[in-house]
Structure formats: C-alpha cells, structure tokens
Amino acid sequence: MKLKAVLTQLAQAAKDASRTTAELPTSKKKNLLRDVAFRLKKSRRVLLRANELDLKAARHMRVPHAMMDRLMLNDERIAGMAKAVLDVARLADPVGRVLARWKRPNGLVISKVTVPLGVVLIIYESRPNVTSECASLCLASGNSVLLRGGREAFHSNRAIVEIYRRVLADYRVPQAAVSLVHRPERRGIDELVRMKNLITLAIPRGGERLMKRVERHARIPVVKHDKGICHVYVDRDADLKMALEIAFNAKCQRVGVCNAMETLLVHEAVAPKFLPILGERLAQAGCEMRGDERTRRYVKGIKKATDKDWDTEYLDRILSIRVVQSLNQAIAHIQKHGSAHTDSIVTRNRSAAEKFKAQVDSSSVMVNASTRFSDGNEYGFGAEIGISTDKIHARGPMGLEGLVSYKYIVEGSGQVRT
Amino acid sequence: MKLKAVLTQLAQAAKDASRTTAELPTSKKKNLLRDVAFRLKKSRRVLLRANELDLKAARHMRVPHAMMDRLMLNDERIAGMAKAVLDVARLADPVGRVLARWKRPNGLVISKVTVPLGVVLIIYESRPNVTSECASLCLASGNSVLLRGGREAFHSNRAIVEIYRRVLADYRVPQAAVSLVHRPERRGIDELVRMKNLITLAIPRGGERLMKRVERHARIPVVKHDKGICHVYVDRDADLKMALEIAFNAKCQRVGVCNAMETLLVHEAVAPKFLPILGERLAQAGCEMRGDERTRRYVKGIKKATDKDWDTEYLDRILSIRVVQSLNQAIAHIQKHGSAHTDSIVTRNRSAAEKFKAQVDSSSVMVNASTRFSDGNEYGFGAEIGISTDKIHARGPMGLEGLVSYKYIVEGSGQVRT
C-alpha cells in the first residue's frame, strides 16, 4: 500500500479511537496508567533486549556519544519511565475542568470547560522514554497519539508501545489510541502534518532541519519543540562558588538534552578569577571549550570560538564561552543568539536579576539555578510532552494543560440578541 | 519598492514597536485607549466620509446586500466602536499576571507570568469596526498589530488607523504599533504569513479560500477564524414559542456574520406544528428557505435543499431546513456538516441538553439561546479579536487572554540538578 494511504488509515484509526479516549472516566484512565507502569517495570528484560538491538545498530553506524546516551535504556531509566507514568496517573484529570463560569446580565450562564484536543502527533528522536512520556500524557488528557519516533530507536519504541496497547486492550479501549508510525520514510512526516481533518496538533521535537520540514508542509497547527541554545550568565555580583556549581551542572549533568547550557557568558569583572577554576573543572570532565579572545587569556590552550559557535546547539561535551562587559551586553547576546528556551543569571544583585527576568523573553528565565531544571517533571507537571519553543498555545515545559482545549457552554432560558 | 521588501519593512517596524508596547504601564495603556475612544466619536464625520467612499465603490461593483451591511458605518456603529474601545480599556491588564506560583521541594520558586505575543497579524474583510476592535485589543495586551483589511473597506480602515496613530504619537509610542497593510495584492498575504522572525501569530478571519491560502503559505503560527455553519436544533421537547424566537433571531437579527444560523434542524414530532408558523414568519422577513422533502410538506413553495446547502455558509437571508428523526440524527448532522463554531439546542428536556452539550464539539454549545450570542462582547470579554475555529491556543470568542503568552520565572539559591 502506498505511504499516504497507510498513514491516512493510521490517522483515521487514531481519530476514531479518540472518541473513546475523550469519554474515558478519570478513574479508568488512572487505573490504565497504573497498569502500564506496572507492566513497564515487569517488562524490563523485553525492553532491554529491544533496546540492545537499537544500540547495536547505532554502534555499527558510529553515532556520536551524545546520541548513544540519549538512546540507551538501563534499569534506572526503565524505573524512571515507570515512575513518570505513575506521576502522570496521580495528576488531576485535565478534561472536564470548569475553567470559569459566569452569569451575564441577560441571565445567560457561560461555562468554559476543558476538552481533549483529539489526535496529537509527536515527532521526535532518540530517547525511547519520550515514547512513554508522550503516550501517558496523551491518554491522561483524553487524546489519541501518533508517535513518530526516530528510526534509530525503533525497536525500543515498538516494545514500549506494545505494552501500552496490551493494557488498552485490557481496558477495551481501541489500541489505535496509541500508535507508532512504523514507516520510516522522512516523507511520511510531510504527509502526516497535512492531515488537517484527522490530526489536531503536531508537536515536532528536534533540530532545525525537522522544524523547517514541518513548517514547510504543515497544514495543521504545530507547537514546535525546537533547539535549546541555553545560556548561563555569571554576573559581576555572582557568588562565584555558586556560579561554578551551576555552570558545571548546566553543562555536564547531561549533555544530550535541550536544556543543557551551550554558551557561558561571564562578566569581565569576575572572569579573571572565575574562568581559570571553571576551565580546570570542565577540562577534567572532558569538556571541550571554545572561547572568545578574552576567555582564552584566562583558560589556556582552548580553541577560538567562531561566530557559528554562538548559534550552535552542541548537545555534546562542548561549551562556548564569552566574556562580556555588562549585563546589557549579556542580555543582547542572549536576544541575538539564544533560542528563547532557557537562560539563567547567577547574581546576588536584586536589580540585575529583575532586569534579566524582564528583558530576557525566554520560555524559562532563571535566577541562581541550573538551566537543567527547565523540565516538566522538575516543575511538578509529571512527565512532559516536551519543551515548547513557540509562544502560542503552550510555552516551555508542556504538560497536561498543553494537551487540552476548551469549549464554551452557554445555558439560557430563551434569550435572543437585540 | 518590491512587495516583499515593503512588507518586511512594515513588519520589522511593528516588531521594533512591540518592544515599547510590551513595557507600557497599565495606566498608560488605559489612558491611551480612552483617548482613542474619544477621538473616534469626535471624528464621526471624517469616518462617515471615508466610509462613503468605500460604499460608493461597493455600490458601483454591485456587491451583495450582506456585504454592504458589513461594510457600512453609521452613527450608531461609530458610537458602538468607541464604546467597545472603552470596554477594552476597562478590562484588567492581561500582561504581567502571575497565573501560578509554586515552590518545589528543592526550594525553587516557579512563577508563570503572562507576556505579550509580540506582533499579531490580522487578516479580515469588510467590517471596518473590526479594525478598531483588533487594534484596541492588541494594544491592551501589549502587542503590535498589522491590520490587513479588505480592499473594499480601505478608506474606512485607513481613517480608523489614523486615529489610533495620532493618539500613539501623543503618547510617544511608535506609530508602527498599529499599522494598516496598504498594499492590496493578495500575494502580500502569502509573504506576511511567512515572516517567522517578525510576526508571532497570524489570525485570518474569513472564508475557505482565505484559510486555504494561509494554510498553504504559513510558516508562522495561525489561529483560524473560519466560517460558521451554525445550527439550531429544535428538539421534540422544545418550548415551541421559545424555539420560534430563537430560530428567527439566530437567522435574521444580523445575517452577514459568522454566528448567524445557516441550518435549522427540527425534530419530526414537532415539525408539523412548528414549521408552518416559522415559515410564515421567515417569509415575511424576506428570508429564502431551502428544505428537505419533509420540510417542504410543512412549508409550501420553498426550494429543495441540495447536499451542498448543508455545507454552505450563506451569510445572507437564506436558511436551509431539515426534519430529523431524533436527537442523535441532529447531532450526527452537526458533526458531519457543522464547522464546530456555534450550535444550539432548544429543549426543556434536561438529558437531551446534557447529551447535546457533551457530544457536540463546537467552540460554543448553547442550550435555549440564540447562536448570535457567540461573541466576545456578549460573553463579557470586551471586544473580540474574532471567533477562533481552531482548538489550539484560543477557541471560540477570543479576547485579551488569547493575545498573550507566558514565561516561567524560576528563582533559586544555587540549586543544581542531580
């Protein structure tokens, strides 16, 4: 069968299933998710075996270290995946919430009530736990989900989706409510994002090429989860010990993720003291540094940062560093080179913090904290569907609230408009 | 200068202006809007003169009655326009609102704070008061606005925008914060909706052709304000006197608007009694009726409705009527032919109303009220930017809340992620 026909059938089945998921009672959704969590843990071996197939292929293709890290499952990550599903099951049902209710002078009573979106399409890569996070959040919000994971994680994703579908069958919910897009053709993405009567929202998570591809072909609404070029700015009034910990954590705690720091900005007043110590620590951790001219005075032997570096999301053990003359210059750098994802200032100066918070228009703006906290779980949303870099519908870490819409219910007693 | 260059310059100026509008204090925005309202009323003659130029051209081109009605300004409509601006000035500032604030176990304090979108592009037709409604709402929400009105209302729109710009100058806000797109080329729309680094959101209001055009070319987020194929369903348990008033009002109170009824569904149990009376009243009001076979038994001499009628937004004194066998058939008809805009049931039966409310997934679902109430002003939002037929970002009557986004502000004391 032709690609378009296969995908249309898949999307139509997801839409049909969404009528059932939309009307699932809260308790049934919660029980279903708890069963999924239980089965994920119980299926440890199946998952690791599937993952090993993906890892083997990746090793064969010599994919970069950061991608291998994203792809890998282990006991800890499977346990984390199951826990994330339990966390979602514990959250309040986002469907059927009365957001507001008011009475108009003419007696009409208006209620604004949340409803599921319908069918959500997620396009993503590498990390298999994303598959489970997205499936659990979509089910919890009464949606069907089409999961278009990367080819490199195919076996892992299929094993995870199979667990969801077995539980769906147990609960007599159509299995098409959670579907993996099996066809690996890139062109499939173009077809899917055109299905405007079937898919309500597309969420592409990934790099620039994917975003451009989706932008070019989309006829349906899109909330982009684009790259994170995140900054930490070490102010002249920073607690340098705190700055050291935050900068090190933001870069090194996990490198293959969008909320890791890619560029460090350091005020010139503290650079001579701060940079040599940080440089040593990063070098010990095997992190490559690329600095502007002044940085290279304080951290010997590192590469020169080129213009391209300021606009690059490394997703790897690489950091670009620039010494700035002022808070204003730091903000201007972020406005010019940042991706409006997550940016952090380290300072003890209250007015510097206020200025940074007001003028940096990123989805998360932090004061004295690591950029790595920009995450649905860390914000207390349970798992996250991703981190939106758009300003429309949902911005920043996107949990259940981003997966519902609403309708107005207007109740009258015969009112007509005059 | 070439079209693209002209429009890019316009959008860039709007973006630059949005830095100022984003930081306007609440009181300044309110004063500015009050001055606009005052000037609109004071400029009655200027506005009517400009409108007369548009009307003359429209008469010359023999545009349909419904469009003439949409285009026309008169004293009452100008007063209404000014009042709508005052209503907006009275609303709470949607910017800088703390939507939520919470503390995490690790001590991080997270605040979700509203921010303006940036630059909003509105594409619309005919009604000049839309120009003022959109400009006032965008300013009140700290945005710049690009107004791409229809060619047929050009003089009226220009006169209205000039009033806004004069007041902006008084307040030392860049005039580019409210800009009319002067170039009438259709192709200009294609260029504008591609400007992804300049324009944050496009809001097309209009018919299918415009929606398709925008869908095809858009590289920026879009919230569509598509057509309204609105239904009134007269249930077997309806109060027929109430049903008569609601049906007549939904169709005839104003015909050239998206929340007017286009199709009436009548339960077969009440059709023999209800339809002859309604038919007479509609005929007296000069409303053409097109019915299915059974309708034509009760309303003599009317045209037969074709399949196309059920999918048509007339925006005129025309109504299609169908007799249905059950509530289920009415809901199925709405699901198949409706545009998920506004649909109303007239019934005294509580469980019928509940079913209708749950299963009709339209932006506004009404019980015993005219569809004409689906409107930002009628809902108490002040003016409206339009009525979204999308489920993403904003749905239904879209007021100030639809014109802001938010950011997360995370305040710590040196937290790093483990």
Side-chain angles (χ1 to χ4, degrees):
Chain A
M1 198 157 40
K2 280 206 182 140
L3 182 63
K4 189 178 173 179
V6 173
L7 297 177
T8 304
Q9 210 170 58
L10 195 74
Q12 182 66 56
K15 189 179 178 183
D16 294 345
S18 76
R19 299 227 170 82
T20 305
T21 54
E23 302 204 7
L24 286 175
T26 305
S27 60
K28 195 168 173 182
K29 287 193 280 195
K30 286 183 184 299
N31 288 335
L32 194 157
L33 290 174
R34 276 188 215 110
D35 279 9
V36 167
F38 178 73
R39 285 235 200 185
L40 282 171
K41 271 192 288 191
K42 225 181 85 181
S43 311
R44 221 189 100 253
R45 279 193 205 161
V46 178
L47 292 173
L48 290 176
R49 210 153 46 222
N51 187 239
E52 186 49 40
L53 292 176
D54 290 331
L55 289 173
K56 208 188 244 169
R59 266 182 233 115
H60 189 72
M61 290 174 67
R62 294 177 195 201
V63 306
H65 172 80
M67 194 174 174
M68 285 295 280
D69 173 58
R70 289 158 71 87
L71 187 54
M72 187 193 58
L73 286 179
N74 54 29
D75 284 359
E76 195 192 333
R77 288 189 181 172
I78 292 172
M81 205 192 299
K83 187 184 168 298
V85 176
L86 285 180
D87 284 348
V88 172
R90 239 176 259 122
L91 294 170
D93 191 338
V95 177
R97 278 175 57 208
V98 179
L99 299 174
R101 171 174 278 156
W102 64 100
K103 196 172 187 167
R104 296 291 299 157
N106 59 9
L108 287 178
V109 175
I110 304 176
S111 315
K112 186 177 180 181
V113 183
T114 56
V115 296
L117 291 175
V119 179
V120 178
L121 164 68
I122 326 263
I123 307 166
Y124 59 103
E125 279 175 351
S126 301
R127 284 196 295 144
N129 57 334
V130 172
T131 304
S132 176
E133 284 168 12
C134 292
S136 64
L137 284 164
C138 286
L139 286 177
S141 50
N143 295 292
S144 281
V145 63
L146 291 175
L147 297 155
R148 204 290 186 188
R151 195 196 302 217
E152 71 290 346
F154 175 72
H155 296 95
S156 315
N157 290 338
R158 188 173 57 179
I160 293 166
V161 166
E162 268 317 303
I163 291 170
Y164 274 84
R165 288 168 77 104
R166 247 179 290 152
V167 178
L168 287 170
D170 290 348
Y171 283 77
R172 293 167 192 261
V173 178
Q175 294 191 314
V178 177
S179 296
L180 191 67
V181 179
H182 277 175
R183 299 286 290 259
E185 296 94 322
R186 286 257 161 73
R187 202 163 46 80
I189 295 174
D190 314 346
E191 296 292 350
L192 285 164
V193 298
R194 282 194 198 109
M195 297 188 178
K196 67 177 171 172
N197 295 316
L198 299 175
I199 302 175
T200 322
L201 176 67
I203 303 178
R205 303 170 39 148
E208 219 165 323
R209 210 181 292 174
L210 173 62
M211 295 305 142
K212 286 203 168 142
R213 179 159 209 132
V214 170
E215 270 170 4
R216 191 164 54 241
H217 295 284
R219 300 287 180 276
I220 62 175
V222 174
V223 170
K224 290 197 294 294
H225 292 48
D226 204 346
K227 64 186 171 190
I229 298 182
C230 302
H231 299 77
V232 172
Y233 164 60
V234 179
D235 188 42
R236 66 177 304 154
D237 294 324
D239 173 332
L240 293 187
K241 224 176 125 188
M242 182 193 288
L244 187 70
E245 295 307 321
I246 287 175
F248 187 77
N249 185 265
K251 181 68 253 181
C252 295
Q253 195 255 343
R254 192 162 179 192
V255 295
V257 288
C258 62
N259 58 15
M261 167 175 67
E262 307 293 5
T263 299
L264 177 73
L265 304 170
V266 182
H267 193 282
E268 60 182 10
V270 295
K273 192 174 168 196
F274 179 70
L275 280 175
I277 304 169
L278 178 79
E280 200 171 324
R281 182 137 174 218
L282 286 174
Q284 275 171 9
C287 180
E288 179 188 334
M289 286 164 272
R290 301 177 188 176
D292 72 338
E293 211 172 299
R294 298 181 70 188
T295 300
R296 294 169 79 212
R297 271 187 236 156
Y298 310 122
V299 189
K300 296 296 178 195
I302 66 170
K303 268 198 213 167
K304 194 170 182 304
T306 64
D307 280 353
K308 209 184 137 200
D309 279 300
W310 311 124
D311 298 318
T312 299
E313 183 190 33
Y314 303 114
L315 292 172
D316 208 342
R317 292 190 173 274
I318 307 172
L319 177 70
S320 54
I321 308 175
R322 181 181 173 193
V323 174
V324 295
Q325 294 173 311
S326 62
L327 170 60
N328 282 339
Q329 203 180 32
I331 292 173
H333 181 103
I334 292 169
Q335 286 172 340
K336 186 167 176 200
H337 300 284
S339 64
H341 189 296
T342 302
D343 300 289
S344 181
I345 183 174
V346 185
T347 189
R348 281 177 300 203
N349 183 321
R350 215 190 158 91
S351 75
E354 287 305 317
K355 188 169 187 180
F356 191 86
K357 277 156 48 181
Q359 296 194 357
V360 173
D361 186 25
S362 299
S363 69
S364 290
V365 183
M366 304 196 166
V367 180
N368 296 329
S370 168
T371 55
R372 288 282 292 118
F373 284 110
S374 169
D375 173 289
N377 245 314
E378 294 296 329
Y379 283 8
F381 302 161
E384 71 186 12
I385 206 79
I387 299 179
S388 162
T389 50
D390 267 325
K391 286 180 95 169
I392 301 305
H393 186 69
R395 190 179 197 208
M398 181 175 169
L400 287 179
E401 277 181 44
L403 293 170
V404 294
S405 181
Y406 53 82
K407 65 181 173 190
Y408 292 101
I409 291 177
V410 181
E411 296 178 280
S413 48
Q415 283 85 345
V416 296
R417 193 161 162 191
T418 47
Chain B
M1 198 158 38
K2 283 210 178 133
L3 181 63
K4 189 180 173 179
V6 173
L7 297 177
T8 304
Q9 210 171 60
L10 195 73
Q12 182 65 57
K15 189 181 177 182
D16 294 344
S18 76
R19 300 229 170 79
T20 305
T21 54
E23 304 205 4
L24 286 175
T26 304
S27 59
K28 194 167 170 182
K29 287 192 280 195
K30 286 182 184 300
N31 289 336
L32 193 158
L33 289 174
R34 277 188 214 111
D35 279 9
V36 167
F38 178 73
R39 285 237 199 182
L40 282 170
K41 271 192 289 191
K42 224 181 86 181
S43 310
R44 222 187 99 254
R45 279 193 205 163
V46 178
L47 292 174
L48 290 177
R49 208 153 49 220
N51 187 240
E52 186 49 41
L53 291 177
D54 290 330
L55 288 173
K56 207 188 244 169
R59 265 181 233 116
H60 189 71
M61 291 174 67
R62 294 177 194 199
V63 305
H65 172 80
M67 195 173 172
M68 284 296 279
D69 173 57
R70 289 158 70 87
L71 185 55
M72 186 193 60
L73 285 180
N74 55 30
D75 284 359
E76 194 191 335
R77 288 189 181 173
I78 292 172
M81 205 192 301
K83 185 182 170 298
V85 176
L86 285 180
D87 284 347
V88 172
R90 240 176 258 121
L91 294 170
D93 192 338
V95 177
R97 277 175 57 207
V98 180
L99 299 174
R101 171 174 278 157
W102 65 99
K103 196 171 186 167
R104 297 291 299 157
N106 59 8
L108 287 179
V109 176
I110 304 177
S111 316
K112 187 177 180 180
V113 183
T114 57
V115 295
L117 292 175
V119 179
V120 178
L121 164 66
I122 326 261
I123 307 166
Y124 59 103
E125 280 175 350
S126 301
R127 283 197 293 146
N129 56 335
V130 171
T131 304
S132 175
E133 283 167 13
C134 292
S136 64
L137 284 164
C138 286
L139 285 177
S141 51
N143 295 293
S144 280
V145 63
L146 291 174
L147 298 155
R148 204 286 184 189
R151 194 195 303 220
E152 72 288 348
F154 175 72
H155 295 95
S156 314
N157 290 339
R158 188 172 57 180
I160 293 165
V161 166
E162 267 317 303
I163 290 170
Y164 274 85
R165 288 167 77 104
R166 247 179 290 154
V167 177
L168 286 171
D170 291 349
Y171 282 78
R172 292 166 193 262
V173 178
Q175 294 190 314
V178 177
S179 295
L180 190 67
V181 179
H182 276 175
R183 298 285 291 258
E185 295 94 324
R186 284 257 162 73
R187 204 163 46 80
I189 295 175
D190 314 346
E191 296 291 350
L192 286 164
V193 298
R194 283 195 198 108
M195 296 187 180
K196 67 176 170 172
N197 295 316
L198 299 176
I199 302 175
T200 321
L201 177 66
I203 302 177
R205 304 170 39 148
E208 220 166 320
R209 210 182 292 174
L210 173 63
M211 294 306 142
K212 285 205 169 142
R213 177 158 212 134
V214 169
E215 270 171 4
R216 193 165 53 241
H217 295 282
R219 300 287 180 273
I220 62 174
V222 175
V223 171
K224 291 196 294 293
H225 293 48
D226 203 347
K227 64 185 170 189
I229 299 182
C230 302
H231 300 76
V232 172
Y233 164 59
V234 179
D235 189 42
R236 66 180 302 155
D237 294 323
D239 173 333
L240 293 187
K241 222 177 126 188
M242 184 193 288
L244 187 70
E245 295 307 321
I246 287 175
F248 187 77
N249 185 265
K251 180 68 252 180
C252 296
Q253 194 254 343
R254 192 161 177 192
V255 295
V257 288
C258 61
N259 58 14
M261 168 175 65
E262 306 294 6
T263 299
L264 177 73
L265 303 169
V266 183
H267 193 283
E268 59 181 11
V270 296
K273 191 172 168 196
F274 180 70
L275 281 175
I277 305 169
L278 178 79
E280 199 170 324
R281 182 135 173 222
L282 286 174
Q284 276 171 9
C287 179
E288 179 187 335
M289 285 164 272
R290 301 176 189 177
D292 71 339
E293 212 172 298
R294 297 180 71 187
T295 300
R296 294 170 78 213
R297 272 188 236 156
Y298 309 123
V299 190
K300 297 295 179 196
I302 65 170
K303 268 198 213 168
K304 193 170 181 305
T306 65
D307 281 350
K308 210 186 136 200
D309 279 300
W310 311 124
D311 298 316
T312 299
E313 183 189 32
Y314 302 114
L315 293 173
D316 209 343
R317 292 189 174 271
I318 307 172
L319 176 70
S320 53
I321 309 176
R322 182 180 172 193
V323 174
V324 294
Q325 293 172 310
S326 62
L327 170 61
N328 282 339
Q329 202 179 35
I331 292 173
H333 180 102
I334 292 169
Q335 285 172 342
K336 186 169 176 197
H337 301 284
S339 64
H341 189 296
T342 301
D343 300 290
S344 181
I345 183 174
V346 185
T347 189
R348 281 176 299 202
N349 183 321
R350 212 188 161 92
S351 75
E354 287 307 315
K355 188 170 187 177
F356 191 86
K357 275 156 50 181
Q359 296 194 358
V360 173
D361 186 24
S362 298
S363 69
S364 288
V365 183
M366 304 196 166
V367 180
N368 296 329
S370 168
T371 56
R372 287 281 293 119
F373 284 110
S374 170
D375 173 289
N377 245 315
E378 293 295 330
Y379 283 8
F381 301 162
E384 70 186 12
I385 206 80
I387 298 180
S388 163
T389 50
D390 267 326
K391 285 180 95 169
I392 301 304
H393 186 69
R395 192 178 196 207
M398 182 174 168
L400 287 179
E401 278 182 44
L403 293 171
V404 294
S405 181
Y406 52 82
K407 64 182 173 190
Y408 292 100
I409 291 178
V410 180
E411 295 177 281
S413 49
Q415 283 86 344
V416 296
R417 192 161 162 194
T418 47

